[in-house]
Amino acid sequence: LHYPLRRQRQMCIRDRVIQARRSARAFSPQPLPTQVLANLLWAADGVNRPDSGGRTAPTASNSQDMEIYVVMADGLFLYDAKGHKLQPILGEDIRALAGRQAYVKEAPVNLIYVSDLAKMKAAPEERQVYASAHTGFIAQNVYLYCASEGLATVVRASIDRPALAQRMGLRPDQRIILAQSVGYPKP
């Protein structure tokens, strides 16, 4: 059974954002304004239901195991979704460790998606599957936000996870799942 996509006279905002979603691997070095970064992080996995602490991205059994680390020229930060603020972790530029591709160190923002497996109630063999799905939800939120704001982004798996985890000071039960570069498109 085939249903053709209905085209209305004007596409709604949702349709334009979904159509504009794409991966880009060339970034302007221009930093993101603070408000744009704040909006990006809220869209990624911010608290959208303050009464319950619910987030913009779902997690199995509401484990809220995902942590978003933000790597920028001025340091490494952890996004505190409940307080909607960045907590400083390192005061140095580690963007070159955030991925193996050359453009990673040029992107003004690299998001590192880390699952705190200790927060999950799932059986140990299921935790990696859930962590991967949770990361996918967050990464897609970032893609859609970037499409709506004219930003460039790409999600990446090519990371030296042991070296980055050591530099970030992660515990053994915290796992780097993926990374995502964000910035303005290179002209």
Side-chain angles (χ1 to χ4, degrees):
L1 209 46
H2 181 279
Y3 291 97
L5 182 62
R6 289 188 181 179
R7 294 284 179 201
Q8 298 175 353
R9 197 179 285 263
Q10 291 185 343
M11 292 176 74
C12 71
I13 292 171
R14 175 200 65 231
D15 295 339
R16 279 184 258 149
V17 168
I18 291 172
Q19 186 170 4
R21 195 232 44 91
R22 62 186 31 87
S23 294
R25 292 166 181 82
F27 300 91
S28 162
Q30 177 186 354
L32 297 184
T34 303
Q35 190 62 59
V36 172
L37 180 60
N39 293 347
L40 169 74
L41 292 169
W42 179 85
D45 196 28
V47 175
N48 65 351
R49 288 158 284 153
D51 54 320
S52 67
R55 305 277 188 90
T56 59
T59 56
S61 301
N62 197 29
S63 61
Q64 297 185 5
D65 60 300
M66 297 306 301
E67 298 171 335
I68 301 175
Y69 286 81
V70 182
V71 180
M72 298 183 288
D74 60 344
L76 171 70
F77 304 86
L78 175 61
Y79 175 56
D80 171 8
K82 292 177 184 170
H84 191 59
K85 60 185 175 184
L86 290 178
Q87 299 173 347
I89 305 295
L90 290 173
E92 61 189 81
D93 186 353
I94 64 164
R95 288 180 295 170
L97 280 175
R100 293 185 169 120
Q101 302 87 340
Y103 60 82
V104 171
K105 60 185 168 203
E106 297 169 8
V109 173
N110 286 286
L111 305 175
I112 310 298
Y113 300 129
V114 175
S115 177
D116 184 346
L117 300 177
K119 291 182 179 179
M120 281 196 226
K121 297 174 186 163
E125 64 273 7
E126 294 175 343
R127 291 178 184 167
Q128 187 66 38
V129 172
Y130 286 138
S132 297
H134 301 163
T135 302
F137 302 143
I138 292 170
Q140 185 67 351
N141 283 356
V142 170
Y143 266 108
L144 295 175
Y145 177 80
C146 288
S148 76
E149 294 296 316
L151 297 171
T153 190
V154 64
V155 71
R156 305 175 284 96
S158 184
I159 308 161
D160 183 345
R161 285 175 180 78
L164 182 57
Q166 181 180 22
R167 193 71 189 104
M168 293 171 66
L170 298 181
R171 300 182 321 269
D173 54 357
Q174 290 176 295
R175 299 276 167 75
I176 296 171
I177 309 299
L178 292 173
Q180 191 164 10
S181 298
V182 178
Y184 289 102
K186 196 171 209 170

